Amino acid sequence: MELIFEKTVAGRRGFRVSKSDVDAPTALPLKYSRTSPLPFPEVTELDCVRHYTQLSQMNFSVDTHFYPLGSCTMKYNPRFTESLAASTGFVDLHPLLPQLRQGERYTQGALQVLYDMERWLTEITGMDAFTMQPLAGAHGELTGVMIIAAYHKAKGNKKKYIIIPDSAHGTNPASAAIAGFETLSIPTDDRGLMDMDILKAHMNEEVAAVMLTCPNTLGLFNSDIDKIAALVHDVDGLMYYDGANLNALLGKCRPGDVGFDVIHVNLHKTFSAPHGGGGPGAGPVGVKASLVPYLPVSRVVQNKDGIFHLDYRYPQSIGYIASFYGNFGVILKAYAYILLLGKAGLMETSSHSVLNANYMQHQLQSILPAAYPRSCLHECVLSAKDLLAQDVHAIDIAKYLIDQGFHPPTIYFPLIVKEAMMIEPTECESKEMMDRFIHAVENAVSLAASHPQALKDCPQTTPISRPDEGKAARELKANFFNSCDAKT
Amino acid sequence: MELIFEKTVAGRRGFRVSKSDVDAPTALPLKYSRTSPLPFPEVTELDCVRHYTQLSQMNFSVDTHFYPLGSCTMKYNPRFTESLAASTGFVDLHPLLPQLRQGERYTQGALQVLYDMERWLTEITGMDAFTMQPLAGAHGELTGVMIIAAYHKAKGNKKKYIIIPDSAHGTNPASAAIAGFETLSIPTDDRGLMDMDILKAHMNEEVAAVMLTCPNTLGLFNSDIDKIAALVHDVDGLMYYDGANLNALLGKCRPGDVGFDVIHVNLHKTFSAPHGGGGPGAGPVGVKASLVPYLPVSRVVQNKDGIFHLDYRYPQSIGYIASFYGNFGVILKAYAYILLLGKAGLMETSSHSVLNANYMQHQLQSILPAAYPRSCLHECVLSAKDLLAQDVHAIDIAKYLIDQGFHPPTIYFPLIVKEAMMIEPTECESKEMMDRFIHAVENAVSLAASHPQALKDCPQTTPISRPDEGKAARELKANFFNSCDAKT
Amino acid sequence: MNPYIANTDADVQKMLEVLGMSCVDDLFLDIKKEHAPRSFDLPEGYSEYEVVSRINQLAGKNSSNLVLFIGGGYYDHYIPAAVSSLISRGEFLTAYTPYQPECSQGTLQALYEFQSLICALTDMEIANASLYDGGTALYEAMMMAIRITGRHRIIMDGGVSPIYRKIIRSYTNNLDIEFLETPVIHGQSCRPDIQKLLDEKTAAVILQNPNFFGAVDDFSDIVAMTHRHGALTISSVYPVSLGLLKTPGDMGVDIVTGEGQSLGLPLNFGGPYLGFMATRKKYARKMPGRIVGQTVDRQGRRCFVNTLQAREQHIRREKATSNICTNEALCAIQAAIFMSLLGPEGMKDLARLNFEKAEFTRQTLARIPGVEVKKSAPTFNEFTVRLDRDAHEVVEAMIQKGFVAGFPLGRYYPEMNDYMIMAVTEKRTRSEILQFAKHLEDVMQD
Amino acid sequence: MNPYIANTDADVQKMLEVLGMSCVDDLFLDIKKEHAPRSFDLPEGYSEYEVVSRINQLAGKNSSNLVLFIGGGYYDHYIPAAVSSLISRGEFLTAYTPYQPECSQGTLQALYEFQSLICALTDMEIANASLYDGGTALYEAMMMAIRITGRHRIIMDGGVSPIYRKIIRSYTNNLDIEFLETPVIHGQSCRPDIQKLLDEKTAAVILQNPNFFGAVDDFSDIVAMTHRHGALTISSVYPVSLGLLKTPGDMGVDIVTGEGQSLGLPLNFGGPYLGFMATRKKYARKMPGRIVGQTVDRQGRRCFVNTLQAREQHIRREKATSNICTNEALCAIQAAIFMSLLGPEGMKDLARLNFEKAEFTRQTLARIPGVEVKKSAPTFNEFTVRLDRDAHEVVEAMIQKGFVAGFPLGRYYPEMNDYMIMAVTEKRTRSEILQFAKHLEDVMQD
Ligand SMILES: Cc1ncc(COP(=O)(O)O)c(C=O)c1O
Ligand SMILES: Cc1ncc(COP(=O)(O)O)c(C=O)c1O
């Protein structure tokens, strides 16, 4: 489709700002003024509306398609949370208001949302305190690891390593490294869990923490969790919980009860804030009592008189980790979601997401072997490696599924599973939908045998066929004004 | 696509109402209670969102396609008018509030919108007063004709006929008939205007009014308008102006200045309220001083103290013609539109809609002859009759255009033009878009010669091909629960 | 300047050249000098932000935060967010009447679903794709009955909304239709009165359930009576109540109409609303308004089109069953989404909740001195209250306290100045109701 | 009960049968009894209407109708309605990161357009598809400069936002990075100070334009200085100002970052916001965050994909250029729609209008006794004011009158208790400004 720049006609206007109602003032000295052209598109509002409406129609989305993207918890995003987050009572609030003297009085509603959310997440996860500031899961990880570092520094611990299983999401080692730690990767045993012997072998006084996703990225719950915690705590190391998969455990198991010291939660997964094609998200971090002093400032506290305000007086705090109080608009959606579901609704979420995932795995594993054939939690990981014989890859199945009107599962993650296909149906999808999906996978696999090329030629029904990813990286055209040549 | 009913799974819920917070009261006697089943669909909110999102994507619309549907003024519908009309200050207002004693005090904002609109429309059209109540153009016609009848009754005139040109829209004769008049149809002369001699021949004391669309449905302005008015007024008949085509005349000519006594305006055309797939609309009616006493009640008046209120004390009024004060939500959009455009913007609207229509006609008439080859106003009417030789009809061109990504023009209207194609580009569309459309029509016409079947097979790119309209009427399946048999 | 115009000066020049003209005004030469506007005095244009601020100021001049116990046929129901969000999609909003079915299946199928839902709700065989509002729909039903029976006498029940009655009166002023009205009472329709008026000249009896005063009825016997005289029964209904109340179809009613506002449309100061109509299949060809019908395309795939268009003005012109063209399609789709979302259980729960809250309120108010709650008939979510003083005054006093207590009947029935009707929807919480009662008690004591 | 679950009891039974299990709990056997939650004390669920009312009550506890003269990097601009309406389309809202390009071209092309627009605005060669916010973006830029230069010393200009400085400090606490800061002054960056600190160990000089105190600058000379020492220049910018101000690209800046809130995003109490980053093409492979690149499909049609993913955590893991995964994609698309809608003229008009209103306010306030308007440097739409008393008190007093007068610098600079910064956007009308001045005059007289 044409780029918005290619729809430009000199002189066209999409929006007119108000006329000035003040007397023309002293002009800005030329030295400081823009002299270069500003090649924004010149289009009408209609052009703009048509362009982005048509673009939107080129997307698969939860609103239009089944989207069982493993590890991403693509559940339904309730509409009422959207309209609430757009209500003027919140959207027009300036973030510096509560930093004025007595300013908290003008943002009591917003501060209470943050305060309640911290309390609710604390209860849901079994931690002692939360900060709502981190802006995504990985940001939560970084915050958590910084807290861990601050803890060890304060105690004079000399720590160097963070232990991470090889099944972990890429953000875990990346966050650990950015915070200044070296990472030790522990292989996965044939149960699909972290290899205990190797873990023991690596455990030492210099281990700052172990980062675990639980259930892990294979969708498996690690029943050794308490043993692992004991090992780590023995060396005064800390247990970090990557909350991306919390959707499996609501009311079933609380990280705080089984030895975890630091946790992040993805509100844009478990608590149904929409993903927006990649963001924004929210990755609040929870900690146990011993780590509370290190939480980032500001913190939201409530006076005896019931007034909420921001408190910055925490000398040991790691400080600011974001400009303000978190992605408030995202937090508000999760707030409304939790309030609507309530305790019982949250527990049902896990029960049904796990039931659906197991049904998927059970029906599919006769066609594509499960990476670790045992009952899973909220997602299952299959392997398409048997199809390599016909030179068919997981990606070919994925593209076939697109033509059948399904967004493909996550593929090639976790890295430890060959030709991995990671399927997370979520609690929101119906049995009929899953059956249709299963049927489509069956067809794909039989095509792999009978007519593999048919899979290689997928997708056919989309606006484009398979892109040349190599060319994109080689020629790197990421800016229209540096790649006009490549127009078509 | 499946019907929402076909997605039903017993027990599924899309929405849960609040639990009752009051003590269970006396039950309703069985005699008065529903005992029959209520076969509404049982689907989740996600099912519902997916269903209607996917349905919406099966539509062509102004937001997605060029939509030059003649006589319908498919201009761009500004987004800000939508968000304003959704603002709680208006949507939650109960219509009976201003009918309470002192109740007008609680709806001053809404009443002012109605009051201002009446004044603006009065100025735009050159009439003396307006009512905002009629809910669509045809409703305005009926209201107008009722006012005409009341006028004649009050003066003791014995009137029987309403004169309407054969180029008129179907609602004109229908409205006249429903109000109790007989209609006389006057043919169109070779200028594309009402035949003056025949008009004169039909003019007599029993003529209550002449209904004219101006510019008429051929897009032509009748410069005899004052002569016609004189003829009608001579027999104490009245001139009715069908405002569907007012988009051509804003600031160029005011019906009230050229002899019209009653007028309706389509806010959902000239003033950019969206059409919503067929409605809602708004068809306010304006009258000259002599007819003011007959306007429907309520009327919005302003006290000396500036307070607006509803006045019902008009003994000669035709009474209530709708439940309340008009389609307020629609009126509010037009209100915002007029305020944004202002005087100059409105005048430009007509200049550019007329320029675009003439450009279209000029470029196309070499391919398809104009019904009346002279410069038109906001729309042009071409005839595809020359293609009948190849057994190609206007509808075949229309269906080809759909495959090219254009909504077709209005076809087979006005009825007096053989194989009519009525094109109204509006002021909002660009020259490039019109050129693309023109090019597509060229291709269609050459295909008609070279390969007519290709046109007959159109459209191919839509979710469905041409439907069997005869079957629909013969078998009449308008209710799923009476036509389950016909599922596919 | 008009920001929605695409043409640049250059575009204008190019087009004028093509047209061989020097300026755009040359295109308006058919308009004689003396036909130029005598005046065109309108506001200067404003920017979007300026218009938004002005209109928000106007919005601020409305009291939109009053707690509503007022109904009269128009009710303060909660609208699920999904309804508003789906109906605002541009593809629904900015399409025209689906004249080209191949590129309008979205609107057509949604309207077909609406018709089917209305049939399911009312237990009728066929419904149209919407009329303007509940009042004009009732008028259209009456005209339809006259067409069907060829008779010209109408019996209007005393319980029919005074607003609807006024509308019907104005439309028929010029037509030779004879109206007979049964006395206005707060209870159920008075059978003997109707019986007295019924005869072989009667085209139809027009009823309403629940009636304007809130009384719930079962019209089966009236229908039987009516049919014995070869006349039709028309009933106007409140759709939300049909989650709980006996259906018109079940009663044998011939033509059902109603105001669809309660099906997911905001009160919006009176519109856009939604008139609907349903009847027996045998009367379909006499029905006004658009009808979407099912058929197949060339590949035999099911699809939908506007059908029986021969009834309509664009074909039939002066002989059409109605002059309606633009209707309330988007409101109909909005109602369809609302009904689909609620489903059978949601619809029943909603109706029951309305009933229960109203009963609770009735019982609570009954205890207040000076307030007499009419119990002559069962009610749904609205009921008549008699006060020991002018209801207008009471309502006025209660508004000061933030409650719209009800609608004083004196507004339409001068002899009933001490009566009002009160509506209680699912949105009214127990505490709102109790607070309301407290304030009302105070007011009644003053 | 959870209304978003599709499974009916019958569905559950069917699935359990297939699984050969008797109840869902059997699926959780890996969780030992002793690992069950010690407590799970949460609110009972509510209906949608109940939640909406509760949250609207909370919204009512915020003063959202104050007239804002407060900025500090976050501005009260008008957002055209088309922006909000397009960005709320479900197909944008409910898609994930575009891992499957064939069914994600909508998001991918929109992000490619965003990147191009940011390049056009800043005069840089390449931009990424967003970072969390303006503060973390500046931190990422610093880390990037360290990667590029292999050096570990950073010179932080005194004009950089104290909020950003705090963020950078916390992130680098554990890393061996040396910070040198130039003194905080209200005017332009002090060249000699920077000069003094610059040497062969310097990785980058971090600047901001306009700076936190509102001063507008041209960094060309600083860039030259910096390059002479083989160091990089990083500048944080306020995008709306670039409709009027000399661009960082023009100054030769190496890495540009900024807060994108002003590009069509609401203030939203601090988020979601939009961090952006642009640089020279030669540094692309060292840049953090997603990059959408252009390529062709098998038919040679242009299309878009996430590219240079080898930089990212899901491939590079601990060696990635950043740990970012979820970013602010939807906000980036929102900003792209905003910029496309405004176009070059709209963007310039907007910037000029902000400048003019601020100048007008500056001149108006200058006349008020007790108010000293700093004129040490040209400003854009924000400037520093010195008061003859504690700015906190003045701001507090003005809020009572409905105006947020500005941001007291004492909050971050204890020694500046009598200073505040004031922002004036295009939304402030002449009459608001004059009223504001009147009230301020009164307050200063008390
Ligand atoms: C297991 C796991 N950990 C961490 C993350 C990172 O979360 P975010 O994308 O919100 O930064 C993800 C998200 O994909 C994940 O799946
Ligand atoms: C010329 C003309 N007159 C009257 C009407 C009827 O207006 P409405 O559809 O609003 O009832 C139309 C609408 O199509 C029309 O084009």
Side-chain angles (χ1 to χ4, degrees), chain B residues 442-455:
Chain B
E442 285 167 356
N443 292 344
V445 171
S446 49
L447 264 179
S450 65
H451 185 17
Q453 189 54 40
L455 296 174

Side-chain angles (χ1 to χ4, degrees), chain D residues 324-335:
Chain D
I324 193 167
C325 179
T326 287
N327 55 16
E328 310 287 306
L330 196 71
C331 304
I333 295 175
Q334 192 165 355

Side-chain angles (χ1 to χ4, degrees), chain B residues 71 136-138 141 169 171-172 213 217 242 244 266 268-269, chain C residues 96 325-326:
Chain B
S71 204
E141 296 171 22
H169 191 264
T171 50
N172 293 186
T213 307
T217 60
D242 175 336
N266 298 56
H268 48 297
K269 295 180 179 178
Chain C
Y96 199 76
C325 178
T326 287

Side-chain angles (χ1 to χ4, degrees), chain B residues 155-474:
Chain B
K155 292 189 73 177
N157 296 343
K158 297 266 152 300
K159 299 289 192 178
K160 194 160 164 211
Y161 304 106
I162 288 186
I163 290 178
I164 301 171
D166 61 357
S167 61
H169 191 264
T171 50
N172 293 186
S175 301
I178 281 168
F181 289 97
E182 284 177 36
T183 57
L184 299 173
S185 177
I186 305 294
T188 300
D189 63 22
D190 47 24
R191 303 168 306 161
L193 306 175
M194 186 157 72
D195 186 307
M196 289 300 280
D197 304 330
I198 304 183
L199 173 65
K200 292 200 187 93
H202 284 72
M203 191 57 64
N204 67 55
E205 290 299 325
E206 287 191 316
V207 171
V210 172
M211 288 180 94
L212 290 177
T213 307
C214 174
N216 67 14
T217 60
L218 296 158
L220 305 176
F221 186 86
N222 191 332
S223 19
D224 296 337
I225 196 67
D226 39 9
K227 298 203 197 69
I228 298 173
L231 279 173
V232 184
H233 289 149
D234 278 350
V235 298
D236 197 9
L238 298 168
M239 290 283 285
Y240 184 94
Y241 178 92
D242 175 336
N245 295 347
L246 187 64
N247 209 49
L249 297 186
L250 299 169
K252 309 291 181 182
C253 173
R254 306 192 309 167
D257 294 340
V258 297
F260 285 100
D261 305 291
V262 192
I263 169 175
H264 87 259
V265 171
N266 298 56
L267 298 188
H268 48 297
K269 295 180 179 178
T270 310
F271 299 101
S272 194
H275 292 69
V285 164
V287 296
K288 283 306 188 65
S290 57
L291 299 174
V292 170
Y294 311 106
L295 283 172
V297 287
S298 63
R299 308 230 358 233
V300 185
V301 300
Q302 183 171 29
N303 302 350
K304 290 134 242 53
D305 62 3
I307 296 285
F308 301 94
H309 67 85
L310 298 176
D311 193 347
Y312 290 85
R313 295 157 308 154
Y314 296 87
Q316 293 183 287
S317 165
I318 59 168
Y320 282 36
I321 57 108
S323 303
F324 294 106
Y325 326 111
N327 274 340
F328 186 82
V330 176
I331 293 164
L332 188 58
K333 294 175 191 182
Y335 183 87
Y337 177 77
I338 292 174
L339 210 45
L340 186 112
L341 260 51
K343 175 185 174 140
L346 289 170
M347 295 177 75
E348 289 165 338
T349 297
S350 292
S351 300
H352 289 266
S353 64
V354 168
L355 175 62
N356 286 354
N358 277 280
Y359 178 74
M360 274 280 199
Q361 169 168 296
H362 181 280
Q363 300 299 68
L364 284 171
Q365 63 191 359
S366 52
I367 321 164
L368 292 174
Y372 296 87
R374 49 182 279 196
S375 80
C376 60
L377 287 184
H378 70 299
E379 64 193 358
C380 62
V381 178
L382 312 176
S383 167
K385 64 177 180 322
D386 300 354
L387 306 182
L388 291 173
Q390 294 90 19
D391 185 38
V392 168
H393 297 255
I395 192 169
D396 300 316
I397 308 291
K399 302 306 184 189
Y400 172 85
L401 289 172
I402 291 175
D403 275 345
Q404 301 309 308
F406 301 103
H407 191 286
T410 296
I411 50 178
Y412 302 113
F413 178 75
L415 308 174
I416 54 168
V417 175
K418 237 176 155 199
E419 298 296 322
M421 301 190 70
M422 183 190 214
I423 306 175
E424 183 179 12
T426 84
E427 70 278 9
C428 301
E429 299 288 347
S430 66
K431 179 171 175 303
E432 306 80 68
M433 183 62 87
M434 292 191 286
D435 287 336
R436 254 180 262 129
F437 178 85
I438 291 157
H439 183 66
V441 175
E442 285 167 356
N443 292 344
V445 171
S446 49
L447 264 179
S450 65
H451 185 17
Q453 189 54 40
L455 296 174
K456 301 265 167 216
D457 296 341
C458 294
Q460 306 265 10
T461 59
T462 42
I464 63 158
S465 61
R466 296 194 202 185
D468 179 344
E469 314 246 0
K471 177 186 169 73
R474 276 193 317 277

